[in-house]
Structure formats: structure tokens, C-alpha cells
Amino acid sequence: MKDVTKDTILVHAGRDPRANHGIVNPPVYHCSTVLFPTLDALEEGDRNPHDIVNYGRIGTPTTFAFEKAAAELEGGYRSVNTGSGLAAIATALTAFTKTGDHVLITDSAYGPTRRFVKETLIPYGVEVEFFDPTVGAGISSLLKPNTSVVFLESPGSLTFEIQDVPAIAAAARTVGATVLLDNTWATPLFFRPFDHGVDVSIHAATKYMVGHADAMLGVVTCRDEALWTTVKKAATRFGTCAGPDDLFLGLRGLRTLAVRMRQHQESALILADWLAARPEVTRVLHPARADFPGHALWKRDFTGSSGLFSIVVKPAPRAALAAMLDDLELFGMGYSWGGFESLILPARPAAVRSATRWTDPGIVLRLHAGLEHPDDLIRDLDNAFRRFNDAL
Ligand SMILES: Cc1ncc(COP(=O)(O)O)c(C=O)c1O
């Protein structure tokens, strides 16, 4: 589709009703075995496994529909689906790394991403170095001739540092390193990775793409054919494909992504403003707020913000935190984010850092603004702070 906005791409991408009896949505193919009518057809399938339906794990019309929509939305060459966001990260990191390579990872990366590199890549003989997410062009001093990957997550999904992606990508190019970005927070709507020098964009589609907290899904989108072939071959070797029903939920979620994101954005900003005025809150970590240290970079590179941000609450005994969190009526306490529902989670950034230090003594709470009315969410938080203060 040419010259249309992303809202319109979301509605039409990956659909082909004419190839499916006029039915609006692509069918869900449950498939392992594919039968070939002739030896010629079997051999043609082997020669061209990525474009012909050959075996369930490698690709089906359901897979292709989701991947086509994701690639079109992100503006990349082509996508690869995976069974979770973490599988997308692990597959992409492994695809571009071999024993003896040096890999740079942002210190603000999602905890399980760190765990994967520490417990899998390092034992396989890869040198892994974490770097300060605010390093910018200063990353040059960390690059080595054997740096194969620079992995970014911007903003970091706990503490929200914004990275200078164009500066880091330009430096990485000088040593031929591949730049990978976890773009889950912004979604393809609010950050265009390939316009900012990224080679491979990764999404935990589990979050906003699926949007309803009911499926695990990942997607890797690549700038060009060579990068895509490398990732697709790695995904095929690992067997990291998603199931058809989850792919369908991903595709269905995409149709409403733009309207949901507008609401998540608006509600999060309303909550952030209200929280910033609370005496119990010492800091609000939200990139779209002018008081956030990475705000200027966010303003330069992003076109919106999502529903996920953090606050720092003044130090308090555990009992006060428990009193605050245990009786919330609307905010759920749990992992993940990006669904229709509001969530809150205590976090310990100090425990998941090595290149930088998190020294704030306050309590970090990560919030996801769901699709409830913000007035109701504020009432829930107001009651929570009352319980917190009563327990002090
Ligand atoms: C920023 C980020 N990336 C990746 C993931 C992993 O996604 P999944 O849970 O689908 O494996 C998460 C999950 O919380 C995340 O927050």
C-alpha cells in the first residue's frame, strides 16, 4: 500500500479476501504436514522453503499474513514470527553472533534478555559487554573490530532511558556491527527503527500487538533481504515458530492498535501528571514528560508514547508497600503489559544493572495504563496512597 497512513495499513495489511472466498480475515491454518502432489512439487518446495508452504514450522498462510502485516507496518523488508518476544530476541541475537564475537548490550535491557546473553551467549564463547544506555556516540570507544551486534532497547522498559539510536547505529556501522532494537514500548506506530539506522527491529508482540493479554508472540523485522535470510534461517534451525491461533490473535490485535495506542498514551500521561503532583512520589519516569532526562531525544525521534512508565515512591517499609498494593481494585499486579488492563509492578533496577548504578533509595513501581477510564484509575491510586500513608 502506498501513500497511506499507518492507521490504514493496520486495517488492511496481511489481508487478501479475494484469495479466501471474500472472507475478511485470513483463515487460521493448523498445520504440520503439507502434502505434495508430485516429486517436482516436493523438490520445488525444498528449493524455495520460505515462499512455498512446505512444512508447518517454516511458514503457512497464517504465518505469512502476520509477517506481511508486521513488515509493512514497520517499513522493513520482511519479518520472522516467533513463539514469544524473548524467542524473537534470542533468535535475533544468536543469528548474528558466533564464538569469539564481542556483543554490546544496553544496561537497561529487559531482565530476561540480560539473562539470555549471560547464561547462553557467554558460555558459548561470546564476549558480552553492557553499556550505559545514555552513551550515545560515545559507544565508539566500546566498539571492537569483532563487535558483531549492538543491542538496544529504547526506552528501557523499567527505567525508560531513551537511547540516541541514530548516533549509536552510525558508530556501529563503522565496525560492521548489526544493530538490533527491542522496539516493543513504542510499537511500530511511535518509532520508525529503519529511519534511525536500525538493522533489525524486534517486538514482543505479546504486548501491544496482541493487546489483550491472551497470547505469546514475537516478531523480528529486518531492513534488507540478507539480514532477513540470516534471521529466518536461525528461526528455522531453532524451531521458534508461533502457533496459528496466537498468530491470528496478533493479526487481529493489529487492526485496533492505533486506536488503543492513542488511549494508552493519553491515559498514561494523565496518570503521570497526577502522580507527579503526589507528595509520596519523588520521580516520574516517563519519556514524554518535559522533566524526564531523555525527553529531548524522545521528542526528536518518537511520534508518541505508550502506556508504560514508572514512578519512584519515597522509601517506606515493606508493610506500607503491601498495604498500598494488596487492595488495589483496578490495577492488577503482574508481569507483562500492553494489554487492555492496567497493571502495577514493584521493580528493583539496582539488581539488574552492571555498567551503570541505580542508586535511588525509593521504591520503583512500573505502571501500565490500560483502557479503563483514567478518573477511575486515579481513584484506585488515591485509595492506595491513603493505605500507604496509614501504614507508615
Ligand atoms: C521490553 C520487553 N521485551 C521483550 C519481552 C519478552 O516478551 P515475551 O514475554 O513475549 O517473551 C518483554 C516482556 O515483558 C519486554 O517487556
Side-chain angles (χ1 to χ4, degrees), residues 84-87 89 110 113 153 157 182 184 204 206-207 216-217 336-337 366:
S84 70
L86 187 59
I89 291 165
Y110 171 59
T113 301
E153 181 181 313
S157 57
D182 183 334
T184 306
T206 308
K207 318 295 177 205
M216 303 298 300
L217 191 62
S336 203
W337 44 280
R366 190 180 74 176

Short mmCIF file of all heavy atoms in Angstrom, two decimals, residues 84-87 89 110 113 153 157 182 184 204 206-207 216-217 336-337 366, ligand 1:
data_model
loop_
_atom_site.label_atom_id
_atom_site.label_comp_id
_atom_site.label_asym_id
_atom_site.label_seq_id
_atom_site.Cartn_x
_atom_site.Cartn_y
_atom_site.Cartn_z
N SER A 84 7.41 -16.14 21.14
CA SER A 84 7.32 -15.16 22.23
C SER A 84 8.27 -14.01 21.90
O SER A 84 9.10 -14.14 20.98
CB SER A 84 7.73 -15.79 23.58
OG SER A 84 9.12 -16.05 23.60
N GLY A 85 8.17 -12.95 22.67
CA GLY A 85 9.10 -11.84 22.47
C GLY A 85 10.52 -12.25 22.81
O GLY A 85 11.48 -11.89 22.11
N LEU A 86 10.67 -13.04 23.87
CA LEU A 86 12.02 -13.46 24.26
C LEU A 86 12.62 -14.37 23.20
O LEU A 86 13.81 -14.29 22.91
CB LEU A 86 12.00 -14.13 25.64
CG LEU A 86 13.37 -14.45 26.20
CD1 LEU A 86 14.23 -13.20 26.34
CD2 LEU A 86 13.26 -15.15 27.55
N ALA A 87 11.79 -15.22 22.58
CA ALA A 87 12.29 -16.07 21.50
C ALA A 87 12.76 -15.21 20.33
O ALA A 87 13.76 -15.53 19.67
CB ALA A 87 11.21 -17.05 21.05
N ILE A 89 14.05 -12.19 20.57
CA ILE A 89 15.33 -11.59 20.99
C ILE A 89 16.45 -12.63 20.91
O ILE A 89 17.52 -12.38 20.34
CB ILE A 89 15.19 -11.04 22.43
CG1 ILE A 89 14.26 -9.83 22.44
CG2 ILE A 89 16.56 -10.68 23.02
CD1 ILE A 89 13.76 -9.43 23.82
N TYR A 110 15.67 -5.43 29.08
CA TYR A 110 14.72 -6.31 29.77
C TYR A 110 15.49 -7.46 30.45
O TYR A 110 16.38 -8.06 29.83
CB TYR A 110 13.76 -6.81 28.69
CG TYR A 110 12.81 -7.89 29.08
CD1 TYR A 110 11.88 -7.71 30.10
CD2 TYR A 110 12.78 -9.09 28.37
CE1 TYR A 110 10.97 -8.71 30.41
CE2 TYR A 110 11.87 -10.09 28.67
CZ TYR A 110 10.97 -9.89 29.70
OH TYR A 110 10.08 -10.88 30.00
N THR A 113 16.43 -10.70 28.74
CA THR A 113 17.39 -10.50 27.64
C THR A 113 18.81 -10.60 28.22
O THR A 113 19.69 -11.27 27.67
CB THR A 113 17.20 -9.12 26.98
OG1 THR A 113 15.87 -9.03 26.49
CG2 THR A 113 18.19 -8.88 25.86
N GLU A 153 17.51 -1.19 23.57
CA GLU A 153 16.10 -1.22 23.95
C GLU A 153 15.78 0.21 24.36
O GLU A 153 16.31 0.70 25.35
CB GLU A 153 15.88 -2.19 25.13
CG GLU A 153 14.42 -2.27 25.57
CD GLU A 153 14.23 -3.23 26.75
OE1 GLU A 153 14.77 -4.36 26.73
OE2 GLU A 153 13.54 -2.82 27.71
N SER A 157 12.59 -0.78 29.41
CA SER A 157 11.20 -0.98 29.83
C SER A 157 10.98 -0.97 31.34
O SER A 157 9.89 -1.23 31.81
CB SER A 157 10.66 -2.27 29.22
OG SER A 157 11.48 -3.35 29.59
N ASP A 182 15.05 -3.60 20.50
CA ASP A 182 13.76 -4.03 21.05
C ASP A 182 12.85 -2.80 21.03
O ASP A 182 13.03 -1.86 21.80
CB ASP A 182 13.96 -4.56 22.49
CG ASP A 182 12.67 -5.09 23.10
OD1 ASP A 182 11.58 -4.65 22.70
OD2 ASP A 182 12.77 -5.95 24.00
N THR A 184 9.54 -2.72 21.43
CA THR A 184 8.21 -3.09 21.92
C THR A 184 7.46 -1.91 22.53
O THR A 184 6.25 -1.75 22.32
CB THR A 184 8.35 -4.22 22.97
OG1 THR A 184 9.10 -5.29 22.40
CG2 THR A 184 7.00 -4.73 23.40
N ALA A 204 8.11 -7.77 21.22
CA ALA A 204 7.32 -8.73 21.96
C ALA A 204 5.88 -8.42 21.56
O ALA A 204 5.23 -7.54 22.14
CB ALA A 204 7.54 -8.57 23.46
N THR A 206 3.46 -10.04 22.07
CA THR A 206 2.66 -10.36 23.26
C THR A 206 2.04 -9.10 23.87
O THR A 206 0.95 -9.17 24.45
CB THR A 206 3.62 -10.97 24.32
OG1 THR A 206 4.34 -12.04 23.74
CG2 THR A 206 2.89 -11.43 25.55
N LYS A 207 2.74 -7.98 23.76
CA LYS A 207 2.29 -6.75 24.44
C LYS A 207 1.23 -6.03 23.59
O LYS A 207 0.12 -6.49 23.50
CB LYS A 207 3.48 -5.83 24.73
CG LYS A 207 4.73 -6.53 25.24
CD LYS A 207 4.55 -7.18 26.58
CE LYS A 207 5.81 -7.93 26.98
NZ LYS A 207 5.60 -9.01 27.91
N MET A 216 1.12 -15.41 23.52
CA MET A 216 2.57 -15.15 23.48
C MET A 216 2.99 -15.11 22.02
O MET A 216 2.68 -16.03 21.26
CB MET A 216 3.35 -16.29 24.18
CG MET A 216 2.98 -16.56 25.63
SD MET A 216 3.26 -15.19 26.76
CE MET A 216 5.00 -14.90 26.60
N LEU A 217 3.72 -14.05 21.64
CA LEU A 217 4.07 -13.89 20.23
C LEU A 217 5.26 -12.93 20.09
O LEU A 217 5.36 -11.96 20.84
CB LEU A 217 2.86 -13.33 19.47
CG LEU A 217 2.89 -13.32 17.95
CD1 LEU A 217 2.98 -14.74 17.39
CD2 LEU A 217 1.62 -12.66 17.41
N SER A 336 4.28 -8.56 32.49
CA SER A 336 3.84 -8.18 31.15
C SER A 336 3.12 -6.83 31.18
O SER A 336 3.03 -6.16 32.23
CB SER A 336 2.96 -9.24 30.50
OG SER A 336 3.01 -9.08 29.09
N TRP A 337 2.64 -6.41 30.02
CA TRP A 337 2.00 -5.11 29.83
C TRP A 337 1.51 -5.07 28.39
O TRP A 337 1.74 -6.01 27.63
CB TRP A 337 2.99 -3.96 30.11
CG TRP A 337 4.37 -4.11 29.53
CD1 TRP A 337 5.39 -4.86 30.05
CD2 TRP A 337 4.89 -3.53 28.33
NE1 TRP A 337 6.51 -4.77 29.26
CE2 TRP A 337 6.23 -3.95 28.18
CE3 TRP A 337 4.36 -2.68 27.36
CZ2 TRP A 337 7.05 -3.58 27.11
CZ3 TRP A 337 5.18 -2.28 26.31
CH2 TRP A 337 6.51 -2.74 26.20
N ARG A 366 6.42 0.14 38.39
CA ARG A 366 6.12 0.29 36.97
C ARG A 366 4.62 0.18 36.76
O ARG A 366 3.99 -0.74 37.29
CB ARG A 366 6.86 -0.77 36.16
CG ARG A 366 6.77 -0.51 34.67
CD ARG A 366 7.49 -1.54 33.88
NE ARG A 366 6.75 -2.78 33.84
CZ ARG A 366 7.11 -3.86 33.15
NH1 ARG A 366 8.24 -3.83 32.47
NH2 ARG A 366 6.38 -4.95 33.15
C1 LIG B 1 10.75 -4.90 26.57
C2 LIG B 1 10.40 -6.35 26.51
N1 LIG B 1 10.94 -7.10 25.55
C3 LIG B 1 10.67 -8.42 25.44
C4 LIG B 1 9.82 -9.03 26.32
C5 LIG B 1 9.59 -10.51 26.21
O1 LIG B 1 8.35 -10.79 25.64
P1 LIG B 1 7.61 -12.17 25.93
O2 LIG B 1 7.06 -12.08 27.30
O3 LIG B 1 6.60 -12.25 24.84
O4 LIG B 1 8.63 -13.26 25.80
C6 LIG B 1 9.22 -8.29 27.34
C7 LIG B 1 8.28 -8.94 28.29
O5 LIG B 1 7.87 -8.39 29.28
C8 LIG B 1 9.52 -6.91 27.44
O6 LIG B 1 9.00 -6.15 28.43
#
